[in-house]
Amino acid sequence: MSRVLLLGASGFIGRHIHQALHGDPRVETVVCLGRHNRPAGSDPWVQHDLAAGSPQDLASIIREVRPDVVINAVGSLAGSLLHLVEANVLAVAKLLEAVAQAAPKARLVKLGSAGEYGAGEPGLAVNEASPARPVSVYGITRLASAQLVALAKTEGRLDGVVLRVFNPIGAGLPAENLLGRAAAQMRSAQAEDRGYIEMGPLGAYRDFVDVRDVARAVVSAALTPQPLAPILNVGSGHAVCNREAVGLLGAVAGFRGEIRESNPAPARSAGVHWIQADITLIGQELGWKPVYSLRDSAEYLWNATAPVGV
């Protein structure tokens, strides 16, 4: 039975990880750590700001919790250069120091991003050995934190693994993400009886993966006793045109209006026209594969309550 310290339990992916942990008989206790929002339920909760707090304070918390596993689902998608460095790099550096000091035998599972790879070559899936050439500050900061975890693992300071999550979708998806933004606009268009929504260019291809499948991958990586590779891709293994994905969401929503592509593309992904995950390695290491279809995910997103922010 494992004691788990979960950082970011109130976020989009974190909430689903939290639920998956409670459904696993191998988990004895879940302790949640967060800056502001206490997640639903009666789990022990510790208030701590990972970006602003000190490694020493975090190490004290970890010593008290005595976790077998630490899961970091904290990170920022957007913001200034300084904010992204603090949230995605500095916070991870502090966590690595604290875990190495206070729980060196615990497994650290950190969520990464497909943004670390940058632009893929059309028709080819990227694997964990593919060159990482991020095209945005977001991707650069995510890559830097992943490399810090991999280095700590190589040097024997801790047992860490980074799960490079591609484009997660599902209930609670925030509007910073393509389909979360589309869902929010479709809801408002229906409420206002407006016959269109306005999106950015939709010609790029993305690998969409259900957030419930992501949560399963995280729990599997956290609780398996065997050593793992330092980086594992988590995706569907299929590239889908954004236009097709938004159209599918519209069909699920019953939205029959016009989908205009009149807005600029988000800065963090404007230069990526194709990305697809090779999920061979995670299948070999964990026996994991996605079980939900894109339509399942669109229905899960649309049928949930209105999306909330991370």
Side-chain angles (χ1 to χ4, degrees):
M1 299 286 283
S2 295
R3 294 176 58 83
V4 179
L5 176 62
L6 174 60
L7 288 67
S10 61
F12 165 54
I13 298 179
R15 290 194 298 273
H16 290 86
I17 295 171
H18 186 249
Q19 183 177 358
L21 287 168
H22 276 283
D24 197 298
R26 295 171 291 178
V27 175
E28 175 188 4
T29 304
V30 178
V31 178
C32 299
L33 182 149
R35 182 175 55 182
H36 294 307
N37 299 326
R38 181 172 189 151
S42 57
D43 288 327
W45 180 77
V46 179
Q47 184 173 5
H48 179 79
D49 188 329
L50 192 58
S54 71
Q56 292 74 25
D57 289 342
L58 184 57
S60 296
I61 293 169
I62 292 172
R63 287 192 187 94
E64 184 174 344
V65 173
R66 296 177 292 107
D68 302 295
V69 177
V70 178
I71 299 174
N72 182 23
V74 176
S76 288
L77 290 170
S80 68
L81 169 61
L82 180 60
H83 170 74
L84 288 171
V85 170
E86 288 176 340
N88 295 338
V89 184
L90 183 59
V92 172
K94 292 177 180 179
L95 180 61
L96 290 173
E97 285 196 13
V99 172
Q101 291 175 18
K105 295 183 179 180
R107 171 161 291 172
L108 172 64
V109 181
K110 190 192 90 68
L111 297 191
S113 168
E116 297 168 35
Y117 288 116
E121 184 175 342
L124 296 179
V126 292
N127 62 35
E128 291 80 359
S130 296
R133 301 189 182 99
V135 298
S136 66
V137 172
Y138 167 75
I140 290 169
T141 58
R142 284 296 203 176
L143 176 60
S145 63
Q147 290 174 324
L148 290 174
V149 174
L151 180 62
K153 182 182 182 73
T154 299
E155 293 178 343
R157 289 186 282 124
L158 52 78
D159 176 14
V161 58
V162 175
L163 300 185
R164 277 187 178 150
V165 179
F166 278 62
N167 290 74
I169 57 175
L173 183 66
E176 288 90 347
N177 301 77
L178 172 72
L179 292 180
R181 188 159 56 253
Q185 287 211 30
M186 288 175 188
R187 291 182 192 278
S188 64
Q190 290 177 337
E192 299 166 8
D193 197 24
R194 175 164 38 86
Y196 65 90
I197 64 171
E198 292 182 303
M199 302 292 294
L202 297 175
Y205 284 73
R206 294 289 182 266
D207 186 319
F208 296 99
V209 59
D210 194 287
V211 69
R212 294 166 292 186
D213 282 327
V214 175
R216 287 177 43 245
V218 172
V219 172
S220 181
L223 300 181
T224 187
Q226 68 194 47
L228 296 174
I231 308 287
L232 294 173
N233 286 343
V234 181
S236 69
H238 301 284
V240 176
C241 182
N242 286 341
R243 193 172 293 115
E244 178 184 342
V246 173
L248 175 60
L249 179 62
V252 167
F255 176 74
R256 297 177 177 82
E258 181 185 1
I259 300 171
R260 299 178 181 175
E261 301 179 30
S262 53
N263 289 337
R268 76 173 186 275
S269 58
V272 179
H273 303 294
W274 168 282
I275 194 72
Q276 176 180 317
D278 183 329
I279 54 174
T280 302
L281 185 58
I282 193 171
Q284 293 171 344
E285 298 253 322
L286 296 174
W288 177 92
K289 63 180 180 180
V291 299
Y292 294 99
S293 69
L294 182 56
R295 186 176 187 90
D296 292 334
S297 304
E299 290 175 348
Y300 185 44
L301 164 59
W302 184 256
N303 292 331
T305 55
V308 296
V310 174

